[in-house]
Amino acid sequence: MNSESYQLCEQIVPSTYIQQGREAKQSHENKIRVLLEKQKWPEEGWEDTTIELMLSELAVMDSNNFQSNCGVGEREARVASSLVAKRHFRLGHGIGRSGDITAVQPKAAGSSILMKLTNAMMLDVLRITGIRSTAACFIVPTATGMALVLCMLALRQQRPLGKYVIWPRIDQKSCFKAIITAGYQPVVIENVLEGDELTTNLPEIEKKIEELGADNIACVYSTTTCFAPRVPDKLEEIASICKKKGVAHIINNAYGVQLSKCAHLIEQAARVGRVDAYVQSSDKNFLVPVGGAVIAGFDEGFINKVAQTYPGRASASPTIDLFITLLSLGVKGYKQLLTERKKLYNYLSSELARVAELNGERLLKTPHNPISMAMSLSNLETKSDKSITHFGSMLFKRSVSGTRVVAEGSNKEIGGVRFKNYGSHCDAYPCTYITAAAAIGMTQNDVDLFIKRLQKVIAKWKSDEKTNENHN
């Protein structure tokens, strides 16, 4: 309401009450004004009331909500269901324009402001969490794999002769399929075993660049976050090789924003060598529904090229989700989640090590993986005629999700490339194992329940073996 409206309200109820209500509303509006002025992620989280007020104010700035609007185009943000309209806060125009996902829409000033503010806050997130040299970023309404495809497609303009992507192996389908979808030929680099850890084969990367020729290589495509015993790639060394050889470098940082170690690796890689872009998932790092990713980099020009590669307008849903979540948490709230995650990583590690020792197994030593860990299953594997992968099914039936049981013999072909022992990140890992991860949002109750159910499954596995012995 404007000043005149408040004066009219004073004719209905006492002015002292109106003044009190006006001051309360002003406190919400002050937060909105500061956000618009500074375009920075607020230190303190906002109440839902303030967020809803701002979303409502932005929505009425979009043409589909103009009372006098007469839309005669093929896209006028018309929404049949009121439930759908409410779900999107009546922001129906999406983000971007046909030539650029970060462009302002004449029909949608409110949605455009929301998009610009969310991208600005996300840039703050990346810098605050440790990748301080990041020059630009934007949110794209695709999951990580397709966001990586966009980056690779943008490289075609800069590297027209490039047809190969050099990729240190990580056994997750979407990572590999991004190369195929972008129209490149993958060059798989097998990892090397150092203790229990699987890590980057740097000499092989250099060798392949020499063999194929730098001009024929679209990029080296490295990874930070992955299932143990795979550990983050040696980003500084890869970046240095890419800089020396004149080869582009794209980093899959899927769930690395929550990990200070991964942030440090990316920052250092950009400092000493070449990093063209790095990509992260919105749901894995910010506790929002699946469907968004953040593309970021150290050269604003290249990041703008990636934004221009996206064809057509885009859904605003992932941007709205992140806008609400970042404002709700604030810097302090998000930092608190990161602190809790680190504590729970140590707690999960110690509890899993205890269970391993009790059952003749061991927690694999993977200190360079800051989120995932693995426990051997070599002893348990010998105690049943059933496939050890059934062990994972037993956990899933007891409502334990997210674990992976990795055993020898699971071969897979993807895009015409055959992977031996798929899931283990290598052709032959020394033992069978089960993985677990301590990711953002996990609670101590999650860990306690997992350990309790894991012990029950182990006991069941052993008792089944004894029953079989008695029958024999």
Side-chain angles (χ1 to χ4, degrees):
M1 290 189 288
N2 56 27
S3 298
E4 185 179 355
S5 296
Y6 282 117
Q7 289 174 4
L8 292 171
C9 287
E10 289 175 0
Q11 297 176 19
I12 302 172
V13 298
S15 60
T16 52
Y17 301 161
I18 299 302
Q19 185 60 33
Q20 188 179 37
R22 189 174 184 178
E23 289 172 357
K25 187 183 178 188
Q26 188 65 48
S27 67
H28 296 291
E29 292 175 340
N30 284 341
K31 290 180 180 179
I32 295 172
R33 177 186 56 78
V34 171
L35 177 62
L36 292 168
E37 179 185 347
K38 304 293 185 183
Q39 297 182 41
K40 295 290 184 182
W41 190 18
E43 189 70 21
E44 301 283 349
W46 287 13
E47 297 174 357
D48 289 352
T49 308
T50 312
I51 298 171
E52 288 171 343
L53 175 63
M54 185 167 190
L55 287 168
S56 178
E57 295 280 356
L58 292 174
V60 297
M61 296 173 69
D62 281 5
S63 64
N64 60 297
N65 297 311
F66 294 175
Q67 290 188 344
S68 60
N69 189 61
C70 175
V72 293
E74 82 288 351
R75 180 191 285 120
E76 296 294 343
R78 300 182 181 101
V79 180
S81 168
S82 61
L83 282 177
V84 172
K86 289 176 184 177
R87 175 176 177 262
H88 293 273
F89 295 91
R90 302 188 310 283
L91 295 161
H93 279 288
I95 59 171
R97 301 187 74 181
S98 58
D100 186 347
I101 196 175
T102 60
V104 170
Q105 287 190 66
K107 287 183 182 179
S111 293
S112 298
I113 290 168
L114 183 141
M115 177 264 292
K116 293 288 187 182
L117 286 175
T118 311
N119 286 343
M121 286 194 289
M122 186 55 65
L123 186 58
D124 269 354
V125 173
L126 297 174
R127 290 171 175 173
I128 288 169
T129 52
I131 315 175
R132 295 180 179 85
S133 302
T134 303
C137 74
F138 68 95
I139 295 150
V140 62
T142 68
T144 310
M146 285 303 296
L148 287 160
V149 170
L150 282 177
C151 293
M152 293 182 199
L153 290 175
L155 285 173
R156 283 198 184 282
Q157 302 170 45
Q158 295 186 347
R159 307 182 67 80
L161 298 178
K163 58 181 179 179
Y164 301 105
V165 170
I166 294 176
W167 177 67
R169 178 176 169 178
I170 169 175
D171 288 355
Q172 288 176 284
K173 288 181 185 177
S174 61
C175 306
F176 182 74
K177 288 173 71 176
I179 304 171
I180 305 296
T181 305
Y184 291 109
Q185 183 174 330
V187 179
V188 181
I189 304 296
E190 289 295 333
N191 299 302
V192 293
L193 188 64
E194 295 181 358
D196 287 335
E197 293 183 331
L198 289 164
T199 189
T200 318
N201 190 336
L202 294 168
E204 189 64 17
I205 290 176
E206 285 204 86
K207 178 183 174 184
K208 285 299 180 182
I209 293 174
E210 290 297 324
E211 285 180 5
L212 300 170
D215 289 343
N216 296 318
I217 297 167
C219 68
V220 176
Y221 170 26
S222 62
T223 303
T224 57
T225 47
C226 46
F227 299 118
R230 177 70 153 80
V231 298
D233 279 319
K234 296 178 179 178
L235 296 189
E236 288 185 51
E237 292 86 344
I238 292 174
S240 296
I241 292 170
C242 290
K243 183 178 181 180
K244 181 175 69 174
K245 303 291 185 181
V247 174
H249 182 198
I250 303 294
I251 300 174
N252 175 8
N253 188 44
Y255 38 105
V257 178
Q258 62 190 287
L259 307 170
S260 57
K261 183 174 286 188
C262 291
H264 175 75
L265 288 173
I266 295 172
E267 177 71 11
Q268 287 298 104
R271 185 181 66 82
V272 304
R274 178 169 178 172
V275 176
D276 293 74
Y278 64 97
V279 177
Q280 36 276 307
S281 162
S282 60
D283 62 281
K284 291 185 177 79
N285 291 290
F286 302 107
L287 307 178
V288 294
V290 171
V294 181
I295 298 174
F298 306 91
D299 176 1
E300 188 173 356
F302 179 69
I303 298 305
N304 288 338
K305 287 288 185 185
V306 180
Q308 291 163 11
T309 303
Y310 190 96
R313 285 175 175 79
S315 168
S317 288
T319 299
I320 295 170
D321 290 342
L322 284 168
F323 179 80
I324 293 169
T325 301
L326 293 179
L327 288 178
S328 182
L329 288 171
V331 176
K332 287 185 178 179
Y334 191 67
K335 283 185 174 179
Q336 181 60 38
L337 287 173
L338 300 188
T339 299
E340 290 170 2
R341 191 213 68 81
K342 279 187 177 181
K343 290 178 181 176
L344 286 169
Y345 173 84
N346 293 329
Y347 180 58
L348 175 60
S349 179
S350 64
E351 287 294 285
L352 201 56
R354 180 177 61 82
V355 172
E357 187 176 0
L358 286 171
N359 294 281
E361 303 291 355
R362 67 187 185 89
L363 187 69
L364 303 184
K365 294 180 180 178
T366 56
H368 293 98
N369 191 320
I371 190 168
S372 178
M373 59 197 74
M375 183 186 83
S376 71
L377 295 175
S378 302
N379 183 43
L380 289 170
E381 189 174 20
T382 65
K383 299 201 176 289
S384 175
D385 293 332
K386 291 181 291 188
S387 168
I388 192 65
T389 55
H390 184 65
F391 188 88
S393 300
M394 291 171 69
L395 282 169
F396 186 74
K397 287 177 181 177
R398 288 158 178 80
S399 299
V400 174
S401 60
T403 60
R404 298 170 84 236
V405 171
V406 180
E408 190 176 0
S410 176
N411 301 324
K412 189 175 291 290
E413 184 174 309
I414 308 171
V417 178
R418 188 166 180 79
F419 293 90
K420 187 178 179 181
N421 289 322
Y422 189 81
S424 64
H425 315 292
C426 68
D427 284 350
Y429 194 76
C431 70
T432 300
Y433 57 86
I434 182 172
T435 68
I440 189 169
M442 178 182 250
T443 65
Q444 184 169 331
N445 186 55
D446 290 328
V447 177
D448 291 339
L449 277 174
F450 166 57
I451 295 299
K452 182 179 179 181
R453 290 170 185 174
L454 176 62
Q455 289 174 315
K456 285 185 176 180
V457 167
I458 291 173
K460 173 68 172 169
W461 187 269
K462 289 179 175 179
S463 67
D464 286 351
E465 185 263 343
K466 287 179 181 177
T467 301
N468 291 335
E469 283 184 354
N470 292 334
H471 285 313
N472 293 333

